Each structure stands twice: as structure tokens, then as C-alpha cells.
Amino acid sequence: EGISFFLVMSFLVAFDDSGTIRSAIWQVGKASEFFKARMANVEIQRDGRLERIFFQLPDGCISGGDLDLEYQELFEGAERDSPEKKSRGFVENMTKIIAREEFNQRIRDSFLAFTVTYWHLLRHSSLAWALLL
């Protein structure tokens, strides 16, 4: 119930000219941070208008959770001139990300799992080894 209230308040902040809602959210700092970590928003175009949709994140997607990964490449190269080009760019980028994650999952399920889990460590140690040689 609390997250629903917070979602409504977050939506209404955009229309709060007096700052009343912002100050109310600020006064309950810990609760506010708890709910902020568990919500996200997307912008969609409907009937020629841009709308912001707020929703609750699954527990695995919360900051620091198993699915909390940065996918900057999702937004890179996506044209924002038209909704169709923007959507096509996001879908193409998402397809690449999904293919990469499926590949990594197949490796995680094999005896080479350490190469995915410690990829950054392996990369840095390889660089250090190359510099030493």
C-alpha cells in the first residue's frame, strides 16, 4: 500500500508548483529512499502526448540486487526523432543485450563459470601481466 501512495505522490510532484509534495516526501527521508529504490518510470507517447508511467520494480531489480545491471548500450545509437525509430533502436539494442546475456548464462552453466563471474578481474590481471612482460 505504501508503494502505491509513493507512486501517486511521485507522479504529482511534476504538477506541484508550491513544493508541498516535495517537502512532504523529503520529511520522510528513509521511507522515501526505500520506495524510490523500488520504483521506476518510463515515458511513452500516446495520442500525441508524452506520458510518464510509474511502476513498482521486482525485488531482483532493486539497487544492488541480482538484476541491477547498467545497460547504457540500450540507449546508445537509438534515434529519438520519431517514436518508431526510437522503438526500433531500443528493440535492436535489447536484442543484442539479451543475446549477450544468454551467451553468458550458457557459460555460467558450464565448467567455465569463473570466466563470467570474474571477467573484470581476468581482464585487469591480463593487462597487468602484459605490461609486466
Side-chain angles (χ1 to χ4, degrees), residues 11 13 15 28 41-42 44 51 58 60 64 88 101 116-117:
F11 177 74
V13 163
F15 305 102
V28 288
N41 68 318
V42 295
I44 61 169
E51 294 182 18
R88 185 178 298 130
E101 289 301 318
V116 176
T117 309

Side-chain angles (χ1 to χ4, degrees), residues 8-23:
V8 169
M9 295 297 276
S10 297
F11 177 74
L12 293 176
V13 163
F15 305 102
D16 182 26
D17 295 332
S18 66
T20 307
I21 295 174
R22 277 191 185 91
S23 66

Side-chain angles (χ1 to χ4, degrees), residues 89-105:
F90 285 158
V91 168
E92 289 171 357
N93 291 342
M94 183 55 74
T95 303
K96 292 175 190 174
I97 292 169
I98 290 171
R100 184 186 68 221
E101 289 301 318
E102 286 176 343
F103 174 75
N104 287 343
Q105 188 58 44

Side-chain angles (χ1 to χ4, degrees), residues 102-116:
E102 286 176 343
F103 174 75
N104 287 343
Q105 188 58 44
R106 285 194 303 274
I107 294 174
R108 283 185 195 101
D109 293 339
S110 74
F111 70 95
L112 296 172
F114 70 93
T115 61
V116 176

Side-chain angles (χ1 to χ4, degrees), residues 14-77:
F15 305 102
D16 182 26
D17 295 332
S18 66
T20 307
I21 295 174
R22 277 191 185 91
S23 66
I25 291 174
W26 184 79
Q27 288 175 356
V28 288
K30 285 189 177 187
S32 173
E33 292 304 316
F34 176 84
F35 290 126
K36 274 184 188 175
R38 286 158 175 75
M39 77 165 223
N41 68 318
V42 295
E43 292 178 347
I44 61 169
Q45 184 173 1
R46 185 180 355 203
D47 298 329
R49 297 178 322 177
L50 188 65
E51 294 182 18
R52 185 176 290 167
I53 307 296
F54 291 90
F55 57 93
Q56 183 177 353
L57 290 171
D59 288 338
C61 296
I62 328 179
S63 180
D66 296 338
L67 301 175
D68 180 26
L69 305 170
E70 288 190 28
Y71 293 116
Q72 285 298 72
E73 65 261 33
L74 177 63
F75 305 105
E76 292 173 359

